[in-house]
Amino acid sequence: MKMGNARVCIWELLWENDDDEEASACFGNQNQGNLVAGVSDDLWDSGAACGKSFEVACTGATNQGDPQPCLGEAVTVMIVDHNPGAAAIINLSADAFAKIANLDAGSVYVTVNTI
């Protein structure tokens, strides 16, 4: 189990455009669905994280803007990108984040488990 924080990434899913500069590190512009994530150096493991599934659960608020953001659920995401130097251990797509926490929170503490 890896503890850390997650941030919501409300980005246009990388495969919804043809911009190679915005392609995912793992799959380019190939559609991998909406429950996806990018990981920081802590989980990247020189690219070995690509395509792996992780279960992510919200454990608490990172700020006072939304003191109780967790919805009591976990979400399974596929790793599709690398976020080098990111402050968060995992960056979830908006759809994935919305399964575990209020989107308005923007950032929450999480546990991350390999599946």
Side-chain angles (χ1 to χ4, degrees):
M1 176 184 343
K2 190 85 169 175
M3 306 263 309
N5 62 340
R7 296 196 191 287
V8 61
C9 290
I10 305 175
W11 76 85
E12 178 181 9
L13 289 174
L14 301 168
W15 37 86
E16 292 179 355
N17 65 55
D18 294 323
D19 185 354
D20 288 335
E21 290 182 22
E22 303 235 354
S24 84
C26 301
F27 300 102
N29 291 326
Q30 295 176 352
N31 187 336
Q32 299 301 315
N34 294 335
L35 299 179
V36 295
V39 293
S40 68
D41 298 327
D42 290 340
L43 294 176
W44 182 242
D45 193 20
S46 300
C50 281
K52 286 190 176 177
S53 293
F54 289 91
E55 181 181 71
V56 182
C58 178
T59 59
T62 60
N63 61 64
Q64 295 305 311
D66 189 348
Q68 296 181 343
C70 299
L71 301 177
E73 302 292 328
V75 65
T76 299
V77 294
M78 179 193 294
I79 304 307
V80 299
D81 210 359
H82 180 213
N83 306 123
I89 194 169
I90 191 163
N91 290 311
L92 302 174
S93 65
D95 286 349
F97 194 94
K99 298 254 185 211
I100 65 167
N102 180 344
L103 279 173
D104 292 335
S107 175
V108 293
Y109 290 114
V110 296
T111 57
V112 180
N113 293 300
T114 306
I115 296 180

